[in-house]
Amino acid sequence: MTGRTTLRGRLAAAAAGMVALTLGNAAPAGALPVLDATDATELAEALAEATDDQNVCYGWKVAVYDYSGGADGIDQGSSLGVGQTAVRTECPRYVVFEASITYTSPASESEDSARFDVVSNIPGAPTAVDLRDNGISVGALLGAEDDEVVANATLLLPALMAEKGLVEPISLEANTEPLPAGDRPTGTPGSDWLRKYGAAVAVAALILIGGLGWAAWIVFREYPFTRASVPTTSRRKRSGGLHQ
Amino acid sequence: MSPKVKLLAALGAAGIGLAALLGVLFGTKGSVRSHIAAKYQRVEAESKGRSAVYTSTQPPGAVAKAISGAWKPAERINDPGGYFLRYRSAIVAVTAAAAGQQGSRIYVDDQRQGYNRWYPYLGGRWGTFSGPGETFRGGGPAAGK
């Protein structure tokens, strides 16, 4: 598939985008655990491999305060395993993604809130700014994919450490084996063009529709459609003639 | 302001909106593939143009950020070894250059080829997965290709 799209495809994508914009995309509140058991195990294993290569312990710690009726608690793990903190004597050097998520009561006027940071005993280690520069955001933490955000943020740390020259970089190793029978990519992504230009299309369309709507309002207000008046003959007194 | 002036202003605004809309529909071009081809140095091409490898002098994080900034990915997966960006037209992987070299390598594949190439990292997340249960994630200190 090439990157070129036809005009028909762009128009279809623009129309779909306008529908999506109208319907909206609500994100449900999260709860503990932030990472399910399988994801937490995979994350811990990936961090353990990074530790083997870089001699730095990595971990995550997410504190959840749920005033909407769910449970409060902490979801954490590290290179040492799920539920294990990286801040311990076994880890002379550590870098940990820490976050705090607060879900307010439905009756509360306050909004849900979140914050995150990087905790480390290594000078020059990555910071929250580095994570934001790589797409990690508070808004995403409050969304439905908070588990992916936590995993992505934590897995970002070894690469950021390498880019700061504090550890050796790790590189990806391509698969050389054929895929197991039946395995294939799924969930085809949406239009790349719409993702890039969708906001501009929406703004332009709003201006166009707004202008036309304003014009229509002016026309109907200033030049209302009314029934044509029927001409009437005025009755005038006649001088002379017959009078009864 | 007289009604005629208001009407002209409204039609003017509509005209601006129409011009902007037409400009976006007819004036925009390019893709993430063409962007990467223009910005980085190609070192390999295969599979009838469906796959290509590029290099950059910048670290992987900066490259991933630059590509994401130019063309927002539908999905992104971070890994200690690099970054995966998913588009409709491609799967882009950015990783450190080989041992002893500075900079990055950028792999651009179509969906199937990219899923095949990075199956240990993407399996079960961007597609179906029935691979081996043992640890299979590769990599090492700049041990990639």
Side-chain angles (χ1 to χ4, degrees), chain B residues 100-121:
Chain B
Q101 299 178 7
Q102 296 292 323
S104 313
R105 286 177 77 87
I106 308 156
Y107 295 82
V108 183
D109 299 291
D110 63 14
Q111 293 292 319
R112 179 165 289 278
Q113 179 64 17
Y115 193 69
N116 191 355
R117 189 195 296 269
W118 307 114
Y119 182 65
Y121 305 93

Side-chain angles (χ1 to χ4, degrees), chain A residues 148-211:
Chain A
E148 286 197 16
V149 176
V150 172
N152 267 341
T154 308
L155 290 170
L156 200 51
L157 298 175
L160 291 176
M161 286 286 288
E163 289 172 21
K164 290 180 177 292
L166 299 171
V167 293
E168 286 295 316
I170 302 170
S171 63
L172 301 172
E173 185 171 318
N175 174 44
T176 56
E177 301 293 325
L179 284 184
D183 278 350
R184 57 185 175 79
T186 58
T188 306
S191 165
D192 297 338
W193 180 88
L194 187 63
R195 208 176 305 114
K196 183 176 176 66
Y197 297 109
V201 169
V203 170
L206 282 173
I207 294 173
L208 172 62
I209 294 170

